[in-house]
Amino acid sequence: MKSSPRACPSTPTANSAPRPTLAPSWFAAVMGTGIVANAAVTLPWSFPGLQTAAVVVWLGAALLLVLLALVYLRQRALRLHAGDPVSAQFLGAPPMALLMVGAGALLLGHRLIGLRAALDVDWALWSLGTLLGLVTAGTVPYLMVTRHSFTPDAAFGGWLMPVVPPMVSAATGALLVPHTPAGQPRLALLLGCYAMLGLGLITSLLVLAMIYSRLVHHDAPTGAVVPTVWIGVGALGQSVTALGALAEVAPSVLAGPYARGTAVFALLCGIVLWGFAMLWLALATGLTVRTVRTGLPFAATWWAFIFPVGACVTATGTLALRTGSSPFVWTAVLFYAVLVTAWVVVAGHSLRHVARHMSRWSGGGNARRPSVEPDPRPDARAETGAPSAPPRTAVRSPEPVSPSSTGPATSSA
């Protein structure tokens, strides 16, 4: 990205309206909770009571989605977040949250509400999530080119968030292909999903190259930005999942040779991408362990640990079903155990933080509108209600800035 000076959007002052208390990054909690439920269905090895527990978790994700959506829409902060070069990246989280809950309705919710109602819910959430995801995938990069300004070390994992939603739409859209009228409607949906897979995968590979360049040529990330490195694992894992899901439904749409071709493509390309995902997983794990030793402050970015591990579960499970390979089966089960453990830890920290936030709010009156997330920066004036510092000319690496802060970050370190 360019590094020439350009003024960032102006930030609110002490005399302006209160800063919003909820950033779009918190929708990653719905993504993570949703994939814990959905991944249970894709496991190549089932456990007693797992499906029932997954239904409960899916219900929690659905309720959390409704709550966060109501709070976020009430803030009317979309324009403010879109104008911020860091917060804008996480506008990809709400569409993926919709897609996860919608897919869960079809995979799990039919046990409670029936297949017809589950289909209606999934169609509605998939359509809305896909539309918002395509808008985000086009709008955020456009804003990065025309309005935002970045220094050479600005790239971080959050840059993947706006471009991954179409890939999630491809994976979850495959569930709807068998329920689409045969003929042109079903063909259009399948081809559209493949097109969205290409959009998300190729763009993700480009962004991963920029992130890798930043990691190699500049200081290693620290603090709350480290978990965002894991988003690369999620993007790669989701592509493998989408390839397998689309190949599964392709025979009902495409002629024989092309249907067989999708199966070959899903297996060979899937294994190649899975291998790359494991490399990125090792890199992300190493950076996380390194940061934990010096202190990893809690932030909404901790939810970036969850969805990527869930994508590893679904990707590995897909390859296990296609190959019959025992190592893939055991790896998928291991990933799911890690996923559930990580989800319990992150959810527990999130609930404790929300409880502290509500306690401070009720005890401190309305004099100050608190944030719902701790800021790891030494100077957290923008999130605590103090006057913001003047905007700077270019955005550097967000290491010292919590990329998931409840209000938009103002600039660089």
Side-chain angles (χ1 to χ4, degrees):
M1 300 302 292
K2 58 186 182 301
S3 58
S4 57
R6 185 189 301 273
C8 293
S10 60
T11 56
T13 64
N15 297 325
S16 60
R19 298 178 68 84
T21 60
L22 183 71
S25 54
W26 278 103
F27 283 88
V30 181
M31 294 167 52
T33 304
I35 204 165
V36 168
N38 297 349
V41 182
T42 67
L43 278 178
W45 191 4
S46 182
F47 299 90
L50 181 61
Q51 299 295 316
T52 301
V55 173
V56 175
V57 174
W58 170 75
L59 280 174
L63 292 175
L64 183 59
L65 173 63
V66 173
L67 176 62
L68 292 180
L70 291 175
V71 173
Y72 189 76
L73 292 174
R74 186 178 179 183
Q75 292 177 159
R76 299 182 181 179
L78 177 60
R79 191 170 183 178
L80 185 64
H81 286 145
D84 181 81
V86 174
S87 295
Q89 308 302 324
F90 293 91
L91 291 174
M96 288 188 281
L98 291 167
L99 294 168
M100 282 293 101
V101 174
L106 193 55
L107 292 171
L108 297 162
H110 68 275
R111 300 185 176 195
L112 299 178
I113 60 178
L115 180 59
R116 182 68 263 171
L119 271 173
D120 292 340
V121 170
D122 192 14
W123 270 116
L125 294 182
W126 184 85
S127 300
L128 180 58
T130 298
L131 176 61
L132 293 178
L134 291 173
V135 170
T136 302
T139 302
V140 174
Y142 176 79
L143 292 175
M144 293 172 71
V145 172
T146 60
R147 293 189 58 185
H148 304 156
S149 187
F150 304 92
T151 56
D153 64 342
F156 75 113
W159 283 14
L160 288 163
M161 291 294 286
V163 298
V164 170
M167 202 149 44
V168 180
S169 290
T172 55
L175 299 174
L176 293 169
V177 170
H179 304 282
T180 304
Q184 289 299 318
R186 188 177 297 184
L187 177 63
L189 178 58
L190 179 69
L191 298 181
C193 287
Y194 268 111
M196 289 188 289
L197 171 60
L199 186 163
L201 176 57
I202 295 175
T203 311
S204 295
L205 293 176
L206 293 174
V207 175
L208 283 171
M210 290 189 282
I211 297 172
Y212 184 75
S213 177
R214 179 256 178 269
L215 292 174
V216 171
H217 292 105
H218 301 278
D219 292 337
T222 58
V225 77
V226 170
T228 66
V229 179
W230 287 72
I231 299 175
V233 180
L236 295 168
Q238 196 62 210
S239 67
V240 178
T241 303
L243 284 169
L246 291 172
E248 189 71 24
V249 297
S252 66
V253 184
L254 301 177
Y258 300 106
R260 290 192 294 272
T262 62
V264 173
F265 184 55
L267 178 59
L268 299 183
C269 186
I271 292 177
V272 170
L273 290 171
W274 186 88
F276 184 23
M278 294 305 101
L279 172 63
W280 202 270
L281 176 64
L283 176 62
T285 302
L287 290 172
T288 303
V289 171
R290 176 179 180 271
T291 305
V292 168
R293 290 175 177 174
T294 58
L296 180 61
F298 173 74
T301 48
W302 279 33
W303 283 101
F305 293 127
I306 309 303
F307 187 84
V309 178
C312 286
V313 175
T314 57
T316 309
T318 295
L319 294 177
L321 292 174
R322 292 205 158 271
T323 62
S325 169
S326 295
F328 275 132
V329 172
W330 285 106
T331 303
V333 174
L334 175 62
F335 274 140
Y336 192 74
V338 173
L339 170 65
V340 173
T341 302
W343 177 76
V344 170
V345 172
V346 175
H349 276 80
S350 299
L351 290 173
R352 282 195 296 270
H353 170 67
V354 171
R356 285 197 305 268
H357 162 67
M358 297 303 295
S359 177
R360 292 174 184 174
W361 194 0
S362 61
N366 297 323
R368 176 177 296 174
R369 193 174 184 180
S371 64
V372 295
E373 174 186 357
D375 192 333
R377 292 177 290 171
D379 180 8
R381 291 172 296 176
E383 282 75 18
T384 57
S388 301
R392 302 188 183 179
T393 55
V395 175
R396 294 188 58 209
S397 167
E399 287 178 30
V401 180
S402 169
S404 58
S405 60
T406 55
T410 55
S411 59
S412 62

